[in-house]
Amino acid sequence: MDRILKENTKKGTMNFRYYWRMLARRKWYFIIPLVLIPLIVTIGSFFLTPVYRASTILLVENKLNPGLMIGGGGDVINKILGQKIERLILSRESLGEVVDKLGLAEQPQGLVYKEESGATKRDAIISFLQKNGVQVAFYGEGVFEIGTFISDPELAMKLANTVAEVFIKKNSYSRRGEADETTKFVSEQLEDYRIKLEKSEEALQKYQQVNPEGKKQIISSKLANLDAMKVETDLVLLQAKSKLAYLKSNAKDNKVVVKSDPQLIDGLKRRKLDLEMYLSNLLSRYTEEYAEVIRAKSEIKKINDELALKLQEPAGSSSDNIDSAKEIYELETGIRGLEDKKVSLEKLTVQYSNEIKDLPKEEFEYLRLAREREANASIYQMLLKNVEEASIIQASEYKEMRNTFVVIDPAVKPAEPIFPNRMFIIIGGILGGLLFGGSAVMVFEYFDHSIKTLTEAKEYLGLSILGTIPNVLSFTEGGKNEIIAKYFDVNSFVTTEFRRLQKNIMKLRPHDSQIKTFSITSALSGEGKTFVTSYLAATFAFTSPDKKIIVIDFDLRMPRIHENFGVKQKEGLSEILQKKISLDNAIVNTSISNLFLLTGGLSIDKPFELLNSPEMKLLFEELRNKFDIIIIDSPAIIPVGDIEIFSSQIDGSILLFRAGKTPKEIILRSKFLLSEAGVHLLGTIINNAEDVLPYHFSSDYYKGKYYSKAK
């Protein structure tokens, strides 16, 4: 036994069968979640709202070069253009037109949206479409996919096609109107100042003979610069106001508020204006390379950058609305700055004009004509430059119009929902059941303090292991051990283990003589003690036909051993101890000729006093004289202490426990009580060993080819 123990239960040996036995022992913890979780999630999937997906494919073509798609400028440009078009498609303005066109605000069938406090139904539907209802994917090479996710398949198809239709329609109207307005305004001003420049040059030529030197020339140059700056400021102011009016007219339906700190913005604006005036004075005396000029320009740039950072994007606004709001705000801020700059220039003009009041009339007239000519020339050059810039902007806007959107694959009505995917849910439920069930088994196994292996039993208890009994009840007919003789088979795997147990018991020499009288006890009831006692007695009888064997039921409170032999309960041990019946009249014959039975009896009043009576010693003396082997079925140790009373009358006791069930602490407590009572412990028997011991103790081995052929 020890050799087999070492070979088959080495420390650290963990194989598949170990985990299989653990799973089989706690199979219901594994099976119940494995069945219930997939069943619950599958049933629950029928109550989920289905979601249908429809998609429209757009292709962006280049009119001037049909083979050229957007994104041909490289990965970065490709990504930027794709993101811009995605924002345009999902803008509140575009989706608002879709909602109005389909009448979703009046009949929002198929839309699972959440109405927000203070928002209209239309706004709530638009928000739902932006977040969940509509998605745009850019695949590169000018290919876009507009996908819709709605619970109504018909609406999903209509929504995808309508989103594409509205976007294509809006894209046909570019923002070239702004560039057209700018070009028209600057062109008109350019023509006016061309005429003014020609007239001022003619007037100055007539006065060429008068050319005073000195201070008048310096003042004339300054005044001319100031006049040019004033006119330039006026023109820029008019242009900005015209552009502001155009943007406000186009954005009248966009409710966008750009938040900023007015006091901080005004402070930065005043600082910028002061620096610009300071820079203007410096440029009248120094060149662009002068250190102070460079520093002033750098400060102005920093202020411009800081002003740009003060703009905040309001939550929920589309990219186009945010850009328009920023542009409107910048124009309004710039107009206020230009008006302040105009006032400052007028003050400087008055200051320099006072300085030339004392000059002769001829010199004053010359200065006036020179100022007018220089101012007109400067303004004309500025306007000419603006016309060129406006033309470039206009060309770039028209260039964008070369890209046209074509629907190459319109959406169709989806036949099946994409959610819920019941196959995926079922597989997920099965995996979840496996995980939960496996985790439950591992948790219960972790908190299980019972003894599960031979090595553990030997090391923990310090007792010899006399035998390991498989789960016999699993292989008896109907799952019950009603009559031992009915299921007793000399060639069965059960009898094989009991023969080994018998052999190990007979090797014991408790008092330098062969063992004759012993009891089998357990820590708790329900560990299989009575069945093992009965089957062991039958094994002794079959293997030793020349010896008389008797099995005695010492559990006077719950006598049950007679059931294993198909015998009715009758007068027995309790009546013998009360001197109501003799031993010969109480002994019952069994179906095995040399095996006899002494039941617990009918009267079970005061079992402690009966077992402690003087008749007990006389009974054991008579039993030894009449029988060769006396096997006693003792009551459990923890609930009652009956074995402590008659322990002096027997050669020893065998402690039985059920593997994988009885806690270690309970078994150890039983051993301690027996030792304290002076009971001679012969060893231990491990019952129900099939699920917890190595392979050779399993019933599978005994059901193999060897025994099949033997039968």
Side-chain angles (χ1 to χ4, degrees):
M1 176 65 70
D2 289 341
R3 181 182 60 81
I4 297 176
L5 185 69
K6 292 179 181 179
E7 291 179 357
N8 293 276
T9 59
K10 294 179 180 178
K11 288 186 177 180
T13 301
M14 303 291 272
N15 51 35
F16 174 77
R17 280 207 163 268
Y18 172 83
Y19 293 104
W20 177 254
R21 298 302 180 198
M22 179 177 67
L23 187 64
R25 186 168 59 256
R26 306 187 187 278
K27 55 183 176 294
W28 292 114
Y29 295 104
F30 183 78
I31 293 174
I32 291 176
L34 183 60
V35 174
L36 285 183
I37 292 179
L39 183 62
I40 290 172
V41 298
T42 302
I43 294 174
S45 67
F46 288 94
F47 295 92
L48 297 175
T49 302
V51 177
Y52 292 87
R53 181 182 186 275
S55 62
T56 299
I57 306 298
L58 294 179
L59 178 66
V60 183
E61 293 182 325
N62 190 289
K63 285 183 176 180
L64 301 181
N65 185 358
L68 179 64
M69 305 296 177
I70 69 167
D75 292 339
V76 176
I77 297 177
N78 194 17
K79 184 177 180 181
I80 293 173
L81 290 175
Q83 291 175 349
K84 179 179 179 181
I85 292 174
E86 288 179 22
R87 290 196 299 268
L88 291 174
I89 294 174
L90 296 176
S91 65
R92 295 190 69 86
E93 183 178 359
S94 297
L95 294 179
E97 290 189 24
V98 173
V99 172
D100 296 338
K101 189 169 184 178
L102 294 177
L104 298 180
E106 290 75 22
Q107 295 181 344
Q109 70 279 5
L111 300 178
V112 185
Y113 64 94
K114 181 180 180 181
E115 294 189 8
E116 302 174 355
S117 58
T120 63
K121 183 184 292 186
R122 180 178 182 272
D123 291 337
I125 294 175
I126 293 174
S127 298
F128 164 75
L129 294 178
Q130 283 184 320
K131 296 177 182 178
N132 302 312
V134 180
Q135 293 182 3
V136 180
F138 177 42
Y139 298 113
E141 298 299 329
V143 179
F144 291 83
E145 181 182 21
I146 300 175
T148 55
F149 303 86
I150 306 295
S151 60
D152 184 355
E154 184 73 23
L155 180 59
M157 176 191 68
K158 291 181 179 179
L159 184 61
N161 290 329
T162 305
V163 170
E165 179 184 343
V166 169
F167 171 69
I168 292 174
K169 181 179 177 181
K170 288 180 66 65
N171 187 68
S172 63
Y173 301 101
S174 78
R175 297 178 62 188
R176 66 177 184 271
E178 181 182 339
D180 293 341
E181 289 290 327
T182 302
T183 304
K184 180 180 178 182
F185 175 79
V186 176
S187 298
E188 291 174 354
Q189 296 294 322
L190 180 64
E191 181 62 21
D192 292 341
Y193 275 93
R194 185 185 64 79
I195 297 173
K196 289 181 180 180
L197 179 58
E198 291 178 354
K199 291 181 178 179
S200 63
E201 286 180 343
E202 291 176 1
L204 185 60
Q205 288 176 1
K206 294 178 181 179
Y207 208 82
Q208 282 183 348
Q209 64 273 17
V210 182
N211 186 18
E213 302 293 337
K215 181 177 180 181
K216 67 181 183 197
Q217 188 172 359
I218 298 173
I219 296 176
S220 174
S221 177
K222 290 182 178 181
L223 287 173
N225 288 335
L226 289 173
D227 288 339
M229 292 176 66
K230 286 197 312 181
V231 175
E232 180 181 357
T233 302
D234 287 336
L235 288 173
V236 174
L237 189 59
L238 287 173
Q239 183 179 353
K241 288 181 177 180
S242 175
K243 185 175 181 180
L244 179 62
Y246 175 80
L247 290 175
K248 284 186 174 181
S249 66
N250 287 346
K252 61 183 179 179
D253 294 330
N254 297 332
K255 298 177 181 180
V256 179
V257 178
V258 180
K259 300 178 182 180
S260 60
D261 188 346
Q263 294 182 353
L264 180 59
I265 294 295
D266 291 341
L268 292 172
K269 177 193 66 177
R270 287 192 296 271
R271 173 62 178 161
K272 177 183 175 183
L273 182 60
D274 292 340
L275 286 171
E276 288 177 345
M277 297 304 302
Y278 178 60
L279 178 62
S280 177
N281 289 333
L282 289 175
L283 290 174
S284 65
R285 289 177 291 174
Y286 305 103
T287 63
E288 296 281 349
E289 289 77 15
Y290 187 61
E292 192 65 18
V293 172
I294 296 174
R295 189 192 67 80
K297 287 184 176 181
S298 176
E299 288 294 328
I300 292 173
K301 184 177 182 303
K302 290 180 180 179
I303 292 175
N304 287 334
D305 294 339
E306 190 172 355
L307 282 171
L309 291 174
K310 299 305 175 185
L311 295 175
Q312 301 178 1
E313 298 184 3
S317 298
S318 66
S319 177
D320 283 350
N321 289 341
I322 293 172
D323 293 340
S324 298
K326 287 184 177 181
E327 195 169 0
I328 290 171
Y329 181 82
E330 290 174 352
L331 284 173
E332 290 176 343
T333 304
I335 288 172
R336 290 195 296 269
L338 290 171
E339 290 174 346
D340 292 340
K341 180 178 180 180
K342 181 179 178 181
V343 173
S344 300
L345 290 173
E346 289 176 351
K347 290 180 180 179
L348 287 174
T349 302
V350 172
Q351 177 183 342
Y352 285 120
S353 297
N354 290 335
E355 293 183 13
I356 63 173
K357 283 183 179 180
D358 298 333
L359 295 176
K361 182 179 180 180
E362 292 80 4
E363 294 183 4
F364 183 80
E365 180 65 17
Y366 174 80
L367 291 176
R368 186 187 67 79
L369 293 173
R371 284 173 52 199
E372 184 177 348
R373 189 263 176 195
E374 291 183 15
N376 289 335
S378 177
I379 293 170
Y380 182 79
Q381 292 296 325
M382 179 200 70
L383 290 174
L384 186 61
K385 181 180 179 182
N386 286 347
V387 169
E388 294 176 353
E389 291 177 351
S391 298
I392 294 173
I393 294 173
Q394 188 180 39
S396 65
E397 295 290 346
Y398 285 129
K399 184 178 180 180
E400 290 184 1
M401 292 302 295
R402 293 182 301 174
N403 294 325
T404 60
F405 292 82
V406 180
V407 176
I408 61 175
D409 188 9
V412 296
K413 182 178 178 180
E416 297 290 337
I418 62 170
F419 177 85
N421 187 334
R422 288 194 175 86
M423 181 58 67
F424 178 80
I425 289 176
I426 292 173
I427 294 175
I430 293 174
L431 293 177
L434 288 171
L435 179 62
F436 188 88
S439 300
V441 170
M442 296 300 292
V443 169
F444 279 99
E445 187 71 15
Y446 177 79
F447 289 102
D448 184 4
H449 293 171
S450 63
I451 294 177
K452 304 178 185 65
T453 65
L454 294 176
T455 303
E456 191 177 8
K458 187 173 183 180
E459 293 180 353
Y460 194 79
L461 298 177
L463 296 174
S464 299
I465 299 175
L466 300 177
T468 55
I469 309 302
N471 185 6
V472 179
L473 297 183
S474 300
F475 309 102
T476 58
E477 183 179 337
K480 296 181 179 179
N481 48 295
E482 296 168 346
I483 303 174
I484 292 295
K486 180 178 180 180
Y487 302 105
F488 190 89
D489 182 0
V490 177
N491 295 320
S492 70
F493 67 92
V494 178
T495 306
T496 300
E497 292 298 336
F498 274 97
R499 285 205 306 269
R500 291 169 179 165
L501 173 60
Q502 174 194 358
K503 181 180 178 182
N504 290 330
I505 292 174
M506 298 309 294
K507 288 180 180 179
L508 298 174
R509 294 290 187 273
H511 304 291
D512 295 331
S513 60
Q514 191 175 30
I515 192 167
K516 184 173 184 177
T517 306
F518 64 91
S519 69
I520 297 178
T521 186
S522 63
L524 302 172
S525 60
E527 297 193 64
K529 166 180 58 63
T530 299
F531 172 79
V532 171
T533 303
S534 303
Y535 209 106
L536 180 61
T539 304
F540 267 97
F542 270 106
T543 55
S544 304
D546 57 331
K547 294 184 178 181
K548 294 177 65 177
I549 314 296
I550 187 170
V551 56
I552 307 174
D553 192 347
F554 260 75
D555 191 349
L556 301 185
R557 294 170 180 82
M558 295 181 64
R560 294 184 58 187
I561 199 168
H562 58 278
E563 297 176 359
N564 293 336
F565 293 93
V567 177
K568 292 183 179 181
Q569 188 175 4
K570 57 171 291 186
E571 294 178 332
L573 178 62
S574 60
E575 284 75 21
I576 294 175
L577 296 177
Q578 296 178 59
K579 298 182 179 180
K580 293 181 179 180
I581 191 173
S582 65
L583 175 62
D584 293 336
N585 293 330
I587 293 176
V588 179
N589 295 324
T590 67
S591 58
I592 305 174
S593 60
N594 62 331
L595 177 60
F596 303 90
L597 172 64
L598 179 60
T599 68
L602 299 175
S603 175
I604 55 174
D605 295 334
K606 302 179 181 179
F608 182 81
E609 288 79 358
L610 290 177
L611 294 176
N612 202 28
S613 63
E615 284 72 18
M616 177 65 68
K617 182 177 181 182
L618 297 175
L619 175 62
F620 272 102
E621 290 179 355
E622 187 176 359
L623 288 170
R624 289 191 184 94
N625 292 329
K626 293 183 177 182
F627 297 96
D628 299 305
I629 300 295
I630 304 168
I631 303 175
I632 298 172
D633 179 23
S634 303
I637 302 168
I638 299 297
V640 295
D642 294 352
I643 191 174
E644 300 173 7
I645 301 173
F646 59 84
S647 61
S648 59
Q649 304 299 324
I650 60 178
D651 296 331
S653 181
I654 300 173
L655 178 62
L656 178 144
F657 69 89
R658 189 166 184 171
K661 180 180 179 181
T662 311
K664 299 176 182 177
E665 297 80 8
I666 298 297
I667 301 174
L668 194 62
R669 171 68 174 166
S670 302
K671 176 188 174 185
F672 174 78
L673 291 176
L674 291 173
S675 300
E676 287 291 310
V679 178
H680 181 66
L681 278 173
L682 302 175
T684 184
I685 299 174
I686 302 178
N687 191 25
N688 194 35
E690 179 192 5
D691 292 340
V692 294
L693 295 177
Y695 177 66
H696 74 280
F697 292 106
S698 170
S699 62
D700 295 342
Y701 177 83
Y702 297 101
K703 289 182 179 180
K705 296 180 179 179
Y706 175 81
Y707 281 101
S708 297
K709 292 180 180 179
K711 290 182 179 181

